[in-house]
């Protein structure tokens, strides 16, 4: 995905998964990356089966970690702000 100015907004990983014997579906699987409009990394959030799942990190525009947390089945189960 891209911002209106053409800068990269996010990269979302997809994989083909078999949902039945003869049927496949694209699902979000892997680490998604989001960027500030100015190009710096904003967050890294893992996907599993189309849902946020696992440890995520959010960053300041200066590249410092500002928050670390954990998603489980699409819901935040813990988070910690970094000063």
């Amino acid at each position: 995905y891209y911002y209106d100015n053409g800068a990269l907004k996010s990269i979302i990983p997809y994989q083909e998964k078999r949902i039945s014997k003869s049927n496949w579906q694209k699902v979000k699987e892997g680490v998604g990356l989001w960027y500030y409009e100015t190009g710096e990394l904003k967050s890294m959030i893992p996907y599993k089966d189309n849902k946020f799942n696992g440890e995520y990190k959010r960053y300041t525009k200066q590249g410092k970690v500002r928050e670390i947390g954990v998603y489980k089945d699409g819901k935040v189960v813990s988070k910690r702000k970094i000063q």
Side-chain angles (χ1 to χ4, degrees), residues 10-81:
S10 63
I11 298 173
I12 308 297
Y14 286 88
Q15 288 185 358
E16 294 278 335
K17 279 200 160 182
R18 183 177 289 200
I19 57 173
S20 69
K21 188 173 182 178
S22 62
N23 201 0
W24 292 79
Q25 178 180 4
K26 276 189 173 182
V27 295
K28 295 173 187 170
E29 190 82 24
V31 178
L33 303 173
W34 285 263
Y35 297 90
Y36 288 102
E37 200 165 348
T38 50
E40 299 84 7
L41 183 62
K42 187 175 188 178
S43 58
M44 295 173 53
I45 307 174
Y47 280 99
K48 182 165 177 60
D49 294 326
N50 279 335
K51 295 179 181 178
F52 292 143
N53 216 4
E55 183 180 276
Y56 72 87
K57 292 181 182 179
R58 298 190 194 278
Y59 299 88
T60 66
K61 282 189 175 185
Q62 293 74 35
K64 295 182 180 181
V65 176
R66 68 177 177 91
E67 183 178 303
I68 296 174
V70 176
Y71 275 98
K72 184 170 182 178
D73 295 324
K75 296 179 182 167
V76 175
V77 294
S78 71
K79 70 178 176 180
R80 179 171 52 105
K81 301 270 185 193

